[in-house]
Structures are given as structure tokens and as C-alpha cells.
Amino acid sequence: MREFWTENGRIVTKLILNQFGAAVMGLMITAAAASNQTLKLFTSLFAICFYLMLLYMVVWEKGGQDRIRFDGGRAAWQPLNGLKMSLLHNIPNILFAVLIIIGYIFGKKGGMFEMEWAGNMYAIFNAIGRLWHGMYIGLIQTYSPNNPIAHLLVVLPAMFTCTFGYYMGLTNRRVFSIFELSPPKKQKDETDPKKKS
């Protein structure tokens, strides 16, 4: 694990910083559209796509670098490195989600346990989770405002994107390669005597 962190710690840190930046952007644009529910949902979807695109680009580049090392015989073929990086970068997300779920189960008013400490924990970490997942806030408020499981589900798109993006970089493929322009084919110049002979 230490060796993995030594090789990929910079990338994991970059993924966490990208999440922070996307969360701030998501909170800002969702707050700007707070009066219109449909617009708030669309701004949240835009922020989510922007966040996932940032993750994809970071891990794709890392996958491409690892492909060069693999081709040179300096690294082993490890197509699940993207998933491992995403698991490390999602540790705070998973921790917040677990604390939110525990707080909700044991602290819900009118619930089976109704413990005060759990209710306080739920309130605190629910607020932190909503800030940390700012890009998802419009989506959560629209479809599942009081469901603590939503904070755990928001981890899945990032994990899928990182796994997929790293594998695409490792295999030197691009998602939008079908839209890229290919260089024009060179045509033979019939008037050039060198090419005739």
C-alpha cells in the first residue's frame, strides 16, 4: 500500500482537490438557480459532468503514463489502478456517508433509538456532506432530500469514471476518438518525375 501511495499519491491528491473545486462550483451555480427547481437540477447535472470530466482527464493521463512504463518493462499491467486511486480519494466521502447513515438510524426523531448524540452527529455530517458533495446538491434536493443513502451513492459515479478513465489511458484509447479529425491522406503528385520512376 505504501508503494502504491508513493507512485499515485500525487494523483489521489489531485482528485481530492478537483472534488473540492467542483463542489464549490456546484454550490455556487446551484445557489444562483435556487429559485427555479428545474434550473437547479440542470446546473447540478452540469457540475456533476464537469467534476467527472476532471476526474477522467486526470486518471486518463496517469493511465497513459503507466502504459509507457509498461511498454518499457518498468511496470506491471494493473488495469484496476484507477479503481484503487478512486477508493483512496473517496475515503472522506465514504466516511461522511457512513457517519450520516449511522446518525440517521440512531438519531431520527420518532425512530426506534432516538439518541441525541446520533441526531447531532447526523446534523453535523449531513451539513458537511452536502458541502463536500456540492456538485450533487441539486440532484439530492430534487430526488432524495432526506435519504442518507444518497451520500453513499454519489461515490459510485466517481469510482466508475476513474476505473474507466484509467483503463482507457492504459490502453491508449479515447472516448471521443470517433469525433477527432484525422490528417488528410497524402496524394501522389503525378507531375513529380521522382515519384514516376
Side-chain angles (χ1 to χ4, degrees), residues 21 32 41 51 59 69 82 85 90 95 98 109 148 155 186:
L41 177 61
Y51 166 58
V59 294
R69 292 174 61 221
M85 285 184 265
N90 275 300
L95 181 63
V98 168
K109 290 189 176 181
V155 172
K186 293 183 179 179

PDB file of all heavy atoms in Angstrom, residues 21 32 41 51 59 69 82 85 90 95 98 109 148 155 186:
ATOM      1  N   GLY A  21     -12.877  21.700  -5.792  1.00  0.00           N
ATOM      2  CA  GLY A  21     -13.182  22.755  -6.759  1.00  0.00           C
ATOM      3  C   GLY A  21     -14.552  22.578  -7.394  1.00  0.00           C
ATOM      4  O   GLY A  21     -15.317  23.545  -7.546  1.00  0.00           O
ATOM      5  N   ALA A  32     -27.262  29.979  -7.290  1.00  0.00           N
ATOM      6  CA  ALA A  32     -27.722  31.015  -8.221  1.00  0.00           C
ATOM      7  C   ALA A  32     -29.059  30.639  -8.865  1.00  0.00           C
ATOM      8  O   ALA A  32     -29.838  31.509  -9.249  1.00  0.00           O
ATOM      9  CB  ALA A  32     -26.676  31.251  -9.303  1.00  0.00           C
ATOM     10  N   LEU A  41     -31.695  21.750 -10.948  1.00  0.00           N
ATOM     11  CA  LEU A  41     -31.351  20.378 -11.319  1.00  0.00           C
ATOM     12  C   LEU A  41     -30.363  20.364 -12.474  1.00  0.00           C
ATOM     13  O   LEU A  41     -29.375  19.633 -12.454  1.00  0.00           O
ATOM     14  CB  LEU A  41     -32.619  19.596 -11.679  1.00  0.00           C
ATOM     15  CG  LEU A  41     -32.413  18.165 -12.155  1.00  0.00           C
ATOM     16  CD1 LEU A  41     -31.754  17.310 -11.084  1.00  0.00           C
ATOM     17  CD2 LEU A  41     -33.742  17.553 -12.590  1.00  0.00           C
ATOM     18  N   TYR A  51     -17.272  17.715 -12.973  1.00  0.00           N
ATOM     19  CA  TYR A  51     -16.471  17.001 -11.973  1.00  0.00           C
ATOM     20  C   TYR A  51     -15.973  15.663 -12.520  1.00  0.00           C
ATOM     21  O   TYR A  51     -14.782  15.341 -12.422  1.00  0.00           O
ATOM     22  CB  TYR A  51     -17.322  16.798 -10.724  1.00  0.00           C
ATOM     23  CG  TYR A  51     -16.800  15.805  -9.717  1.00  0.00           C
ATOM     24  CD1 TYR A  51     -15.538  15.964  -9.143  1.00  0.00           C
ATOM     25  CD2 TYR A  51     -17.571  14.718  -9.312  1.00  0.00           C
ATOM     26  CE1 TYR A  51     -15.071  15.060  -8.202  1.00  0.00           C
ATOM     27  CE2 TYR A  51     -17.104  13.819  -8.370  1.00  0.00           C
ATOM     28  CZ  TYR A  51     -15.861  13.991  -7.820  1.00  0.00           C
ATOM     29  OH  TYR A  51     -15.387  13.092  -6.895  1.00  0.00           O
ATOM     30  N   VAL A  59      -7.066  10.751 -14.488  1.00  0.00           N
ATOM     31  CA  VAL A  59      -6.699   9.327 -14.461  1.00  0.00           C
ATOM     32  C   VAL A  59      -6.350   8.808 -15.851  1.00  0.00           C
ATOM     33  O   VAL A  59      -5.547   7.886 -15.985  1.00  0.00           O
ATOM     34  CB  VAL A  59      -7.797   8.453 -13.804  1.00  0.00           C
ATOM     35  CG1 VAL A  59      -7.929   8.778 -12.342  1.00  0.00           C
ATOM     36  CG2 VAL A  59      -9.112   8.570 -14.516  1.00  0.00           C
ATOM     37  N   ARG A  69       5.348   3.151 -19.217  1.00  0.00           N
ATOM     38  CA  ARG A  69       6.212   2.392 -18.297  1.00  0.00           C
ATOM     39  C   ARG A  69       6.057   0.892 -18.518  1.00  0.00           C
ATOM     40  O   ARG A  69       7.031   0.148 -18.454  1.00  0.00           O
ATOM     41  CB  ARG A  69       5.868   2.758 -16.856  1.00  0.00           C
ATOM     42  CG  ARG A  69       6.239   4.203 -16.508  1.00  0.00           C
ATOM     43  CD  ARG A  69       5.771   4.609 -15.120  1.00  0.00           C
ATOM     44  NE  ARG A  69       6.391   3.763 -14.123  1.00  0.00           N
ATOM     45  CZ  ARG A  69       5.756   3.290 -13.067  1.00  0.00           C
ATOM     46  NH1 ARG A  69       4.483   3.554 -12.863  1.00  0.00           N
ATOM     47  NH2 ARG A  69       6.382   2.534 -12.187  1.00  0.00           N
ATOM     48  N   GLY A  82      -6.919   2.551 -11.450  1.00  0.00           N
ATOM     49  CA  GLY A  82      -7.866   3.668 -11.405  1.00  0.00           C
ATOM     50  C   GLY A  82      -8.884   3.492 -10.299  1.00  0.00           C
ATOM     51  O   GLY A  82      -9.227   4.449  -9.588  1.00  0.00           O
ATOM     52  N   MET A  85      -7.110   4.160  -6.966  1.00  0.00           N
ATOM     53  CA  MET A  85      -6.930   5.594  -6.745  1.00  0.00           C
ATOM     54  C   MET A  85      -8.250   6.237  -6.323  1.00  0.00           C
ATOM     55  O   MET A  85      -8.293   7.094  -5.438  1.00  0.00           O
ATOM     56  CB  MET A  85      -6.387   6.268  -8.002  1.00  0.00           C
ATOM     57  CG  MET A  85      -4.921   6.005  -8.250  1.00  0.00           C
ATOM     58  SD  MET A  85      -4.298   6.908  -9.678  1.00  0.00           S
ATOM     59  CE  MET A  85      -4.464   5.673 -10.954  1.00  0.00           C
ATOM     60  N   ASN A  90     -11.868   8.639  -2.374  1.00  0.00           N
ATOM     61  CA  ASN A  90     -13.239   8.642  -1.845  1.00  0.00           C
ATOM     62  C   ASN A  90     -13.330   8.273  -0.368  1.00  0.00           C
ATOM     63  O   ASN A  90     -14.440   8.169   0.158  1.00  0.00           O
ATOM     64  CB  ASN A  90     -14.119   7.696  -2.669  1.00  0.00           C
ATOM     65  CG  ASN A  90     -14.673   8.384  -3.894  1.00  0.00           C
ATOM     66  OD1 ASN A  90     -15.384   9.371  -3.791  1.00  0.00           O
ATOM     67  ND2 ASN A  90     -14.339   7.875  -5.057  1.00  0.00           N
ATOM     68  N   LEU A  95     -16.522   7.904   4.457  1.00  0.00           N
ATOM     69  CA  LEU A  95     -16.575   8.141   5.906  1.00  0.00           C
ATOM     70  C   LEU A  95     -17.751   9.044   6.265  1.00  0.00           C
ATOM     71  O   LEU A  95     -18.521   8.740   7.196  1.00  0.00           O
ATOM     72  CB  LEU A  95     -15.254   8.763   6.372  1.00  0.00           C
ATOM     73  CG  LEU A  95     -15.141   9.053   7.863  1.00  0.00           C
ATOM     74  CD1 LEU A  95     -15.215   7.768   8.674  1.00  0.00           C
ATOM     75  CD2 LEU A  95     -13.851   9.800   8.163  1.00  0.00           C
ATOM     76  N   VAL A  98     -21.044   7.063   5.851  1.00  0.00           N
ATOM     77  CA  VAL A  98     -21.279   6.085   6.929  1.00  0.00           C
ATOM     78  C   VAL A  98     -21.724   6.796   8.206  1.00  0.00           C
ATOM     79  O   VAL A  98     -22.675   6.358   8.878  1.00  0.00           O
ATOM     80  CB  VAL A  98     -20.007   5.242   7.173  1.00  0.00           C
ATOM     81  CG1 VAL A  98     -20.124   4.432   8.447  1.00  0.00           C
ATOM     82  CG2 VAL A  98     -19.751   4.327   5.985  1.00  0.00           C
ATOM     83  N   LYS A 109     -35.734  11.369  14.925  1.00  0.00           N
ATOM     84  CA  LYS A 109     -36.821  11.632  15.872  1.00  0.00           C
ATOM     85  C   LYS A 109     -38.023  10.779  15.485  1.00  0.00           C
ATOM     86  O   LYS A 109     -38.421  10.738  14.327  1.00  0.00           O
ATOM     87  CB  LYS A 109     -37.192  13.112  15.851  1.00  0.00           C
ATOM     88  CG  LYS A 109     -36.114  13.975  16.454  1.00  0.00           C
ATOM     89  CD  LYS A 109     -36.555  15.391  16.635  1.00  0.00           C
ATOM     90  CE  LYS A 109     -35.451  16.172  17.325  1.00  0.00           C
ATOM     91  NZ  LYS A 109     -35.815  17.566  17.549  1.00  0.00           N
ATOM     92  N   PRO A 148     -30.380   9.330   3.597  1.00  0.00           N
ATOM     93  CA  PRO A 148     -28.941   9.337   3.901  1.00  0.00           C
ATOM     94  C   PRO A 148     -28.125   8.460   2.946  1.00  0.00           C
ATOM     95  O   PRO A 148     -26.925   8.679   2.776  1.00  0.00           O
ATOM     96  CB  PRO A 148     -28.884   8.796   5.326  1.00  0.00           C
ATOM     97  CG  PRO A 148     -30.124   8.003   5.499  1.00  0.00           C
ATOM     98  CD  PRO A 148     -31.165   8.671   4.650  1.00  0.00           C
ATOM     99  N   VAL A 155     -20.764   8.364  -4.468  1.00  0.00           N
ATOM    100  CA  VAL A 155     -19.390   7.881  -4.625  1.00  0.00           C
ATOM    101  C   VAL A 155     -19.257   7.037  -5.902  1.00  0.00           C
ATOM    102  O   VAL A 155     -18.210   7.023  -6.546  1.00  0.00           O
ATOM    103  CB  VAL A 155     -18.994   7.045  -3.383  1.00  0.00           C
ATOM    104  CG1 VAL A 155     -17.659   6.362  -3.574  1.00  0.00           C
ATOM    105  CG2 VAL A 155     -18.965   7.931  -2.147  1.00  0.00           C
ATOM    106  N   LYS A 186      -1.955  11.776 -47.937  1.00  0.00           N
ATOM    107  CA  LYS A 186      -1.131  12.415 -48.959  1.00  0.00           C
ATOM    108  C   LYS A 186      -1.400  11.751 -50.307  1.00  0.00           C
ATOM    109  O   LYS A 186      -1.416  10.525 -50.413  1.00  0.00           O
ATOM    110  CB  LYS A 186       0.350  12.307 -48.606  1.00  0.00           C
ATOM    111  CG  LYS A 186       0.717  13.115 -47.374  1.00  0.00           C
ATOM    112  CD  LYS A 186       2.186  13.026 -47.112  1.00  0.00           C
ATOM    113  CE  LYS A 186       2.551  13.864 -45.892  1.00  0.00           C
ATOM    114  NZ  LYS A 186       3.983  13.771 -45.589  1.00  0.00           N
TER     115      LYS A 186
END
